[in-house]
Amino acid sequence: MSQESQHGKWTLSSSEDSMDELADSEKPSTSVTQRGHESKKSSHSVSEARKAANKRKMSPLKYVAGNFPKEEEASDQKFAREDFGWCLSSSEDEDLKTSSRNKDAITTVRKAESGTLMELPTACKIPSSHKSEEPSEVQDTWDLLNGQDPFRFFLTKVKGIKSKYNSRALHIKDILSPLFGTLVSSAQFNYCIDVEWLVQQYPKEFRDKPLLIVHGEKRESKAELHEDAHPYKNVRLCQAKLDIAFGTHHTKMMLLNYEEGLRVVIHTSNLIDDDWYQKTQGIWLSPLYPRLPPGSPESDGESHTHFKSDLISYLISYKSASLMEWVEIIKQHDLSETRVYLIGSTPGRYQGDAKEKWGHLKLRKLLKEHATQIPDQDSWSIIGQFSSIGSMGVDQSKWLCSEFRESLGSLGKKLKTPPNEIPIHLIYPSVENVRRSLEGYPVFYFFFSWRFSAI
């Protein structure tokens, strides 16, 4: 996928580093041109970053205590699955180990937090294709779903390390697993999307379920995305309308509609293999929201953080009929157990109270209403970390050290330290950082608006 900007033409190629998975995976009913760095038929450009990622996948980095990570020999590429912690995948290559490792069936009884026994709901009973997984790893994921963490924030699994280092971490295959619910339909919001790879992350039994992909691609890259999605009859595409010249759809969210309820997932990973392979990413996983009784008022099922109404407002801002279908689904569910605030950002110009609905101005409002400064303590510094930096104003007083610092420095309605005295520090990659990184220069993406995050 290529884009034109004032910085020149840049490329986000479709992922070709999953060839070992594609070789054994099922193919859609219509023919698909196999994409890869060795394919002569493909018209898609292949980025150097993606080539490097393919090389790393064949020889993953392995951590050795006391030393820097080193490349493993090609003859040692048969990694133990328990080192990866992939406990819930139903893809074809996972099924191969069923014949070589006969494990006891996973029990469908788990201990409730009170100490009594409870039976898992039907959706959570492990089908035969998952019974070869390690019980401890399935138990660990079950604990993640039902733990007492009020904020429900997790990291992604990293391949090439022992499972103990992936404890309380999730892979996309875990999130889409039947353990999380019996999927009816789903929506995937993202910036960079490999449709073929994404479909393979769903369990076999869910791969033909309706899937809506929300993207911000335009022109040639949009045409390529439609071409990639064409073989999958269950996949629909929804384009986020971006009227701002350099606006980018950067939302990374999943809406998962189950027979048992609804789940919302907000994360930081692109829907490509690289981002779920050897990178640490963040995931917020909602509880399983139950359905409201038929005929319930729309205001029912709201949380004290107004998560339900804020999510609905964000989806409505797309002005898309496809997303209005999801608005109706959300209205039918009880989201009252949500313990986080939602801060969305949408392009446009806003006046009055509307300014505080989005972006850092909403963050400022929440911090003023709910945060307090620690007594007798100096104000904390503001530390910002960026993968890339756009315009911050003509000078530091125009935006960075006025609006932005005031928003992040708000702690209650009465500040002990004036905003203009709060130290601000920015962390961002230098040219040398990029040059020495695993993926090098092609890793940089340009983005400005449509950012979506949760607090």
Side-chain angles (χ1 to χ4, degrees):
M1 294 181 292
S2 61
Q3 289 271 25
E4 295 284 351
S5 74
Q6 65 177 2
H7 306 283
K9 189 173 183 179
W10 50 280
T11 299
L12 300 176
S13 66
S14 300
S15 178
E16 78 291 351
D17 50 7
S18 299
M19 300 307 297
D20 54 333
E21 294 179 7
L22 295 177
D24 294 329
S25 64
E26 62 185 41
K27 301 296 182 182
S29 56
T30 53
S31 62
V32 181
T33 301
Q34 189 179 39
R35 292 169 296 165
H37 60 285
E38 296 178 355
S39 174
K40 303 299 183 182
K41 298 179 181 180
S42 175
S43 61
H44 296 278
S45 57
V46 179
S47 69
E48 292 301 319
R50 214 53 57 83
K51 290 179 181 177
N54 187 45
K55 181 179 178 181
R56 290 199 314 279
K57 186 171 183 180
M58 299 306 295
S59 300
L61 297 174
K62 190 98 173 183
Y63 175 75
V64 179
N67 297 300
F68 291 105
K70 62 182 181 180
E71 299 279 346
E72 288 200 339
E73 297 296 331
S75 60
D76 296 328
Q77 293 309 307
K78 295 181 179 179
F79 301 108
R81 292 293 180 177
E82 56 267 26
D83 283 356
F84 297 156
W86 278 37
C87 59
L88 295 169
S89 167
S90 66
S91 64
E92 295 80 345
D93 56 327
E94 291 289 322
D95 293 338
L96 293 176
K97 64 183 178 181
T98 305
S99 59
S100 59
R101 298 167 66 187
N102 294 322
K103 299 295 181 182
D104 293 335
I106 306 300
T107 178
T108 59
V109 177
R110 294 288 184 266
K111 238 177 190 182
E113 294 166 3
S114 63
T116 59
L117 292 178
M118 62 178 289
E119 184 174 352
L120 297 178
T122 303
C124 296
K125 294 182 180 179
I126 312 300
S128 58
S129 61
H130 302 285
K131 290 182 180 179
S132 60
E133 313 301 343
E134 294 289 350
S136 61
E137 292 179 349
V138 177
Q139 177 67 58
D140 180 63
T141 306
W142 173 255
D143 291 339
L144 287 180
L145 289 177
N146 297 277
Q148 294 300 305
D149 181 1
F151 300 112
R152 303 181 65 86
F153 180 79
F154 308 99
L155 299 178
T156 54
K157 290 180 179 176
V158 176
K159 279 192 179 182
I161 63 175
K162 293 183 178 180
S163 58
K164 64 181 179 180
Y165 300 120
N166 277 323
S167 177
R168 294 187 55 79
L170 294 168
H171 188 266
I172 187 172
K173 288 188 176 182
D174 298 333
I175 298 171
L176 300 175
S177 161
L179 183 64
F180 280 45
T182 308
L183 194 67
V184 175
S185 60
S186 61
Q188 295 280 356
F189 298 66
N190 220 282
Y191 167 60
C192 185
I193 303 160
D194 183 337
V195 178
E196 191 170 23
W197 176 87
L198 173 60
V199 171
Q200 292 299 320
Q201 307 316 299
Y202 284 80
K204 289 182 184 178
E205 55 267 43
F206 297 157
R207 286 179 191 169
D208 62 349
K209 301 296 183 182
L211 168 59
L212 178 68
I213 295 178
V214 184
H215 65 93
E217 302 294 353
K218 301 176 183 178
R219 297 179 293 277
E220 296 92 343
S221 55
K222 177 183 176 181
E224 289 182 6
L225 186 63
H226 277 262
E227 179 185 345
D228 291 343
H230 180 73
Y232 305 97
K233 302 306 179 185
N234 61 310
V235 175
R236 290 189 298 157
L237 298 177
C238 172
Q239 181 184 14
K241 303 298 183 182
L242 300 169
D243 298 327
I244 298 176
F246 298 103
T248 301
H249 181 260
H250 224 266
T251 297
K252 297 177 176 67
M253 175 173 66
M254 306 181 194
L255 301 177
L256 305 174
N257 183 27
Y258 305 113
E259 292 180 3
E260 300 82 9
L262 174 73
R263 197 184 303 278
V264 179
V265 183
I266 300 172
H267 58 100
T268 65
S269 303
N270 286 295
L271 291 175
I272 58 175
D273 185 62
D274 277 5
D275 276 25
W276 296 86
Y277 176 47
Q278 285 186 326
K279 294 179 181 177
T280 298
Q281 305 272 8
I283 304 169
W284 178 77
L285 184 75
S286 81
L288 180 61
Y289 299 128
R291 278 188 176 78
L292 292 167
S296 299
E298 290 184 5
S299 58
D300 284 6
E302 181 62 279
S303 69
H304 74 277
T305 62
H306 304 288
F307 184 88
K308 183 175 183 177
S309 57
D310 286 345
L311 179 58
I312 288 174
S313 294
Y314 179 77
L315 296 181
I316 291 175
S317 72
Y318 280 82
K319 300 179 176 64
S320 165
S322 298
L323 287 175
M324 289 306 298
E325 297 174 12
W326 280 96
V327 167
E328 294 305 314
I329 291 174
I330 293 169
K331 288 179 179 179
Q332 297 166 14
H333 288 80
D334 182 357
L335 278 62
S336 60
E337 290 302 309
T338 312
R339 296 290 181 267
V340 299
Y341 291 92
L342 183 67
I343 300 177
S345 180
T346 65
R349 296 184 179 277
Y350 303 97
Q351 301 294 328
D353 294 340
K355 291 193 299 184
E356 296 183 335
K357 288 184 62 176
W358 314 108
H360 72 89
L361 291 178
K362 180 172 183 179
L363 174 62
R364 181 191 301 184
K365 180 175 183 289
L366 292 174
L367 291 175
K368 284 184 176 180
E369 292 177 350
H370 303 287
T372 56
Q373 202 165 18
I374 300 175
D376 302 322
Q377 293 291 325
D378 292 334
S379 177
W380 292 353
S381 299
I382 296 172
I383 301 176
Q385 186 271 328
F386 309 87
S387 61
S388 63
I389 296 180
S391 174
M392 295 185 177
V394 178
D395 58 60
Q396 63 178 6
S397 66
K398 298 301 182 188
W399 183 82
L400 177 64
C401 292
S402 56
E403 289 186 36
F404 189 68
R405 178 161 61 181
E406 182 179 348
S407 292
L408 272 69
S410 297
L411 293 172
K413 296 182 178 179
K414 293 183 179 180
L415 286 176
K416 176 182 176 182
T417 304
N420 60 358
E421 296 181 12
I422 299 175
I424 182 168
H425 307 282
L426 305 182
I427 302 171
Y428 59 93
S430 66
V431 173
E432 184 67 8
N433 294 149
V434 177
R435 188 185 71 79
R436 299 181 62 183
S437 67
L438 290 176
E439 295 182 352
Y441 293 119
V443 76
F444 271 102
Y445 305 148
F446 301 101
F447 56 89
F448 293 90
S449 59
W450 278 100
R451 181 171 291 276
F452 192 108
S453 58
I455 294 180

